[in-house]
Amino acid sequence: YQRRVHGVLFALFCFSGLFSLVMSQNLKSAGGGGGRSACRNDGSEFMGFFGNLMMMVALPILVTYLHICMIGFDFDVVKPLFELSSLPSLYSDHFMPSRLSFAIYGGWFFFQAFLFVLLPGYTATGLPSPVDGSKLKYKMNGILALPLSVGLFVGAWWYKFFSAQRVIQLLPSLMTTSMFFALAMSIFLYVKASVQGFVGLRSGNFIVDFFMGSELNPRLFDFDFKFFCESRPGLIGWAVLELAVLLAHFEKYSSLSAGVVLAVVGPVFYVADYFWVEEAILSTMDIMSERFGFMLTFGDLVWVPFTYTIAALYHVEHVPSLNALETVAISAILITGYILFRGSNNQKHQFRTKPETMPNAQFIRTKRGTNLICSGFWGMARHINYTGDILMGLAWCLPCRFESLLPFFYFLYFVPLLVHREYRDNHHCHLKYGQDWVTYCKRVPYRMIPGVY
């Protein structure tokens, strides 16, 4: 039986990787030579109308199914398919949104918006927009919002306003509620763009434009919806849910295992690191060139907090035993991944924003007037940061010791995602830089893994 389960999961993983590669080939006609055309939605990304529609329908079903596997079938991903008759009652008992779930999630969402607007912070300037060359201003105060949110959550638990195990029990209904918020946000963004006339980046197909988005940086009274959703409700929510797992584990077993500590500390540190260098997100693909529609909204509000926590959630009801050697090995993988991820991203951000501080950096001067760094981390591979991200994700999953493959969902999903994204980046850069990109690829021949790939 276990072999059949593993075979099905391996086949699904192979299919997802193949599907990602197929999608990357559909980007040949996307984009353009830069500027507005590079961001305009021509309807071909993610296999166009049918691919976008399929993802809008499939993503909520997939996230729900993953949680059904966890709460009703002890992390077995196949058994629910053979007990379909039990799923409606399971869904109605655990997943139906309620007044309580709307109150909790709505309170959390607007509390984060309150902190986003009112907490003090310094102002950072973004890079030139590929649409019109303008530079947007952003207030950086996430480094205050994160500890304040976490501190209030842990403090309320400490003073017994709620139990962490109750939070875990409410997770399915909170997840469903977050889907309503993601849908409402997506509708608002589409209507806002239509009313304000920001339709220049649309393809003309409603489904594609709703899924991919109409604007790069939708704002209302200086409130940047993409910047807010990218970091606050979902990312800080992810950290809080990870800590809820840690506290629930302590409530249940009166101690903390090495496995749950490794599974939780890694992601929480990852989120803390994000806000420590919050300004670095301004030079990422998400902020600079991705339109903000259902795809990113669902990813920010639903996918991140409710699928990235799967590995940690395994430790609520299970206590995998790790020996000292395994603990050290997992810690080494985590540290190596972090060094590659943070080191490369810091180097890229510094080179883009303050190149004068890197006099020894090697680069290729392009005909567009920009520079492509090809030394340091970026001389090792063209997306060494993705490799670091994958290693960290693997380290978060390994404490589960392969007792079930579902806790490895993050890793199994992230590998084809980043491989696909690397293909997207490579294609867009080839369109943008032309022969200069060919020269750069010869200078830095490896995509993600030095000497291998």
Side-chain angles (χ1 to χ4, degrees):
Y1 174 74
Q2 289 183 340
R3 288 182 179 179
R4 290 200 301 271
V5 172
H6 294 175
V8 169
L9 284 173
F10 182 72
L12 288 174
F13 172 63
C14 292
F15 172 76
S16 64
L18 179 61
F19 181 66
S20 297
L21 295 178
V22 170
M23 284 197 295
S24 70
Q25 299 306 310
N26 281 276
L27 298 175
K28 290 181 178 179
S29 60
R36 178 179 292 271
S37 61
C39 299
R40 190 179 188 278
N41 190 351
D42 69 354
S44 66
E45 292 193 272
F46 297 104
M47 300 180 72
F49 169 82
F50 292 105
N52 290 190
L53 180 61
M54 181 179 69
M55 292 178 72
M56 276 199 291
V57 174
L59 286 173
I61 294 174
L62 174 60
V63 177
T64 302
Y65 183 79
L66 293 175
H67 278 260
I68 285 174
C69 295
M70 286 189 287
I71 67 172
F73 299 91
D74 195 27
F75 286 78
D76 190 315
V77 296
V78 175
K79 194 173 181 180
L81 298 176
F82 298 97
E83 298 187 19
L84 297 177
S85 61
S86 66
L87 300 189
S89 60
L90 184 65
Y91 186 90
S92 63
D93 290 342
H94 297 278
F95 290 85
M96 289 296 291
S98 63
R99 290 181 181 179
L100 178 61
S101 67
F102 270 99
I104 293 174
Y105 191 85
W108 171 257
F109 186 91
F110 290 108
F111 173 67
Q112 291 303 316
F114 175 82
L115 297 181
F116 184 74
V117 173
L118 295 182
L119 283 180
Y122 71 94
T123 300
T125 302
L127 296 178
S129 168
V131 176
D132 57 13
S134 62
K135 296 182 179 181
L136 297 175
K137 303 291 185 180
Y138 299 86
K139 184 166 71 170
M140 300 289 143
N141 58 13
I143 195 62
L144 298 178
L146 175 65
L148 182 58
S149 301
V150 168
L152 287 174
F153 177 80
V154 175
W157 172 82
W158 179 262
Y159 286 103
K160 303 187 185 304
F161 283 92
F162 60 85
S163 75
Q165 293 186 73
R166 176 59 175 159
V167 174
I168 302 303
Q169 291 171 358
L170 289 172
L171 212 57
S173 61
L174 291 173
M175 178 199 67
T176 307
T177 304
S178 73
M179 294 181 185
F180 281 96
F181 271 77
L183 180 60
M185 174 68 78
S186 302
I187 294 172
F188 166 77
L189 292 171
Y190 188 88
V191 173
K192 171 188 172 296
S194 300
V195 171
Q196 295 182 332
F198 297 139
V199 296
L201 301 181
R202 288 183 176 175
S203 68
N205 184 294
F206 170 74
I207 293 296
V208 172
D209 295 329
F210 184 81
F211 181 75
M212 296 299 300
S214 302
E215 299 179 74
L216 283 181
N217 305 100
R219 290 188 168 198
L220 190 63
F221 303 115
D222 292 328
F223 189 97
D224 192 300
F225 292 98
K226 180 163 72 169
F227 185 57
F228 169 70
C229 289
E230 281 275 333
S231 58
R232 302 309 172 82
L235 204 61
I236 296 181
W238 174 25
V240 167
L241 291 180
E242 292 280 350
L243 290 173
V245 168
L246 192 75
L247 299 177
H249 184 95
F250 181 79
E251 288 177 354
K252 187 176 180 65
Y253 302 107
S254 301
S255 63
L256 295 176
S257 67
V260 74
V261 171
L262 282 173
V264 169
V265 169
V268 172
F269 180 78
Y270 180 91
V271 175
D273 172 77
Y274 171 94
F275 287 108
W276 182 256
V277 289
E278 187 178 13
E279 187 179 341
I281 193 180
L282 302 184
S283 59
T284 62
M285 180 180 174
D286 279 358
I287 294 296
M288 291 185 62
S289 59
E290 292 281 15
R291 297 172 301 281
F292 192 52
F294 180 85
M295 180 180 72
L296 287 186
T297 304
F298 185 90
D300 294 337
L301 302 184
V302 183
W303 190 266
V304 169
F306 295 104
T307 68
Y308 287 12
T309 49
I310 290 177
L313 286 167
Y314 184 79
H315 295 270
V316 174
E317 300 293 339
H318 304 82
V319 189
S321 176
L322 293 178
N323 59 43
L325 181 60
E326 291 169 331
T327 302
V328 170
I330 294 172
S331 300
I333 294 173
L334 178 62
I335 293 171
T336 300
Y338 175 75
I339 291 173
L340 293 177
F341 173 79
R342 177 47 54 210
S344 59
N345 281 327
N346 280 354
Q347 190 180 57
K348 176 183 67 174
H349 183 70
Q350 182 181 359
F351 184 75
R352 284 181 172 178
T353 58
K354 299 177 182 179
E356 68 278 2
T357 63
M358 301 176 64
N360 298 321
Q362 300 177 26
F363 58 87
I364 295 174
R365 184 75 172 175
T366 70
K367 295 182 178 64
R368 292 173 55 90
T370 54
N371 300 323
L372 299 173
I373 186 171
C374 51
S375 61
F377 287 102
W378 298 97
M380 300 167 63
R382 301 198 292 271
H383 281 92
I384 194 69
N385 54 330
Y386 290 176
T387 305
D389 224 344
I390 289 171
L391 287 175
M392 286 191 292
L394 176 62
W396 303 340
C397 301
L398 282 174
C400 298
R401 290 182 55 92
F402 299 101
E403 293 179 1
S404 170
L405 283 184
L406 183 55
F408 283 81
F409 173 80
Y410 178 87
F411 174 73
L412 296 176
Y413 140 80
F414 222 52
V415 171
L417 173 78
L418 290 184
V419 168
H420 168 236
R421 188 159 194 171
E422 191 279 330
Y423 271 84
R424 286 184 75 195
D425 292 351
N426 186 72
H427 173 69
H428 284 305
C429 288
H430 183 74
L431 289 175
K432 184 176 181 179
Y433 298 111
Q435 186 58 40
D436 290 327
W437 185 251
V438 176
T439 303
Y440 175 75
C441 291
K442 290 180 180 178
R443 185 81 171 268
V444 186
Y446 297 106
R447 292 175 176 264
M448 293 174 63
I449 306 175
V452 179
Y453 173 72

